[in-house]
Amino acid sequence: EDFHDPEYYYQHTNNKRGGHIVGNAFVPKGLWPVKYQYLFIDFIFGTIYNLITDTRQECRLECETPVPGYRNETFHQHELMVDMFFGPYKNTQAMYIASRSSTSNTNVFRIRYTGDENRIPIARIHIDMNGEPLSNSDDNSVGYVTIRVGEAVIFDGIESTDEDGDNLTYHWEFKNASDTKSTSREQISTQIFPIEGEYLATLTVTDELGQSDSVSMKIRVGTPPEVNILSPSEGDQFFVGQVLKLRGSGIDSYGNTDLDFFWEVRYHHAEHYRTFLERTQGNGITLPPAPEPEDFLAATNSYLEVILTAVDKSGLSITTSRSVNPLLVNIVIDSSPQGLEVMVDEFPIETPQKITSWQNHELRLNVDDQLPFEFEAWSTGKKRKHSMLVVPQDNNNPSSLTVFFRQVEEEVLLVSEVRSCSPDARCDRCEGHCRSDEDCKGNLRCFKKGGRGFPIPGCIGIDNSQTDWCTLPESTPRPTLPPTPTPTTQPLAPSCTISGLSCNINSECCSNICANKSGLEEIRVCRRTEPDEKLALKLGSGRGGRGNIP
């Protein structure tokens, strides 16, 4: 009752690629048209989405895959956006977006509403080096372009577009590491780079209503240094909690080894990643303890990527990376009987199944009763819900972990019409009255109650009679009956006179016979019609009627 459906959710684009929401903002009331109320950033897709209400498609309870009453509408696209918010702009407000893009001219840009539905233009850079064309029209960035000192490069904004058909104006900016820059306002700009180093070429296009877009490209002039990752070594693997150290070496084109090193570590899962170590300068850096898999499925497609960038004195850089995979451990999860469900790291699997985990990971295990089977025990003796440390082993011969169940039957109603069970007319389950197991069908047993109102295991209903019932052999144990009293040697004290004792009239005798004692007519005694032991049995252990349950 404490669970509430999420307001909105959307599917991964395929089995590998999944979205990751990193920023969101409510549009201030009255600032933008009413269709824009809530926007959010998907980091993986590089898209800002506008959330649109669409109750016509909503199907939550009836659909196997629930469909929310909303849908996405693409609002803007840009790489590596991480946050968004509304803030002041002149006499109004605008939306500001922060990005981690390494190819963008700026990591914060602004989107404002101009009073109409004018769409933002799209900036694209096309370059020509010695007749070799290159553009960033596909993914808005081409990373580095490497040229020789003194080489001429033609920059062209011809591939920039505006969906409204507006004429565009162009502004080029070329800047080096020391922030020295040159500019141009032509669609085509030819540049010659006379000094080694790295430059950033940025094109900004603006439409007739003042909406603009920018794109950048890095230019590397000269020969970049060489760099190697020394630790972790090629082929190294990690276990959960292991502390790795980062060390590298490098040399520039003049033989100098005095380089600046910058490290970054990414934790990849399928086709997206999260930052495990932010960009950090230095060498011999100690990482935090190695992570656990994010979830059950992530254990098969996750790894660490170590990225090293070396920068020489002229500002030229080179980047290399190395993948470090986890130490995998295979485990067979089984159950008895097989074919039941076990939760592994909160993910359901059907037994038997070989799973993959990471060495030193705390594997979370849980199992529920699945009627007619109830949890009995794990092969390790642990509770039904527990964690297990994954230890190294031979994956060609994986260990097996088994959960054992016992079969139980669902409870059934007591059969209220009581009959006399016998070996010739045996009773079924929850039927009585039985005197021994021989009175019950199959492997049923005769359950001897502890008294009136005693619950009958495996049966629904309370019996206030003295009936005994046929039940399952797997039902709860027979009730603990009070101990049988030790027989006493005291004579019975019935309310009537037993045989052999004196009497006056028949009604005084238990046998209802008062007669002369044999050979002595003057003495009258009670005479027997049955043996004394039978009479005593009747007097001491007589049984009341069984009756029916109410």
Side-chain angles (χ1 to χ4, degrees), residues 5-10 51-60 66-72:
D5 281 339
E7 288 298 317
Y8 180 64
Y9 38 90
Y10 56 101
L51 194 62
I52 303 293
T53 301
D54 188 356
T55 56
R56 294 172 302 173
Q57 67 171 3
E58 185 172 13
C59 179
R60 291 180 180 263
V67 178
Y70 302 89
R71 58 180 170 83
N72 286 345

Side-chain angles (χ1 to χ4, degrees), residues 107-122:
N107 286 343
V108 177
F109 58 96
R110 178 180 60 237
I111 297 178
R112 64 186 177 89
Y113 179 61
T114 61
D116 57 28
E117 294 295 329
N118 178 52
R119 287 166 287 189
I120 299 172
I122 300 173

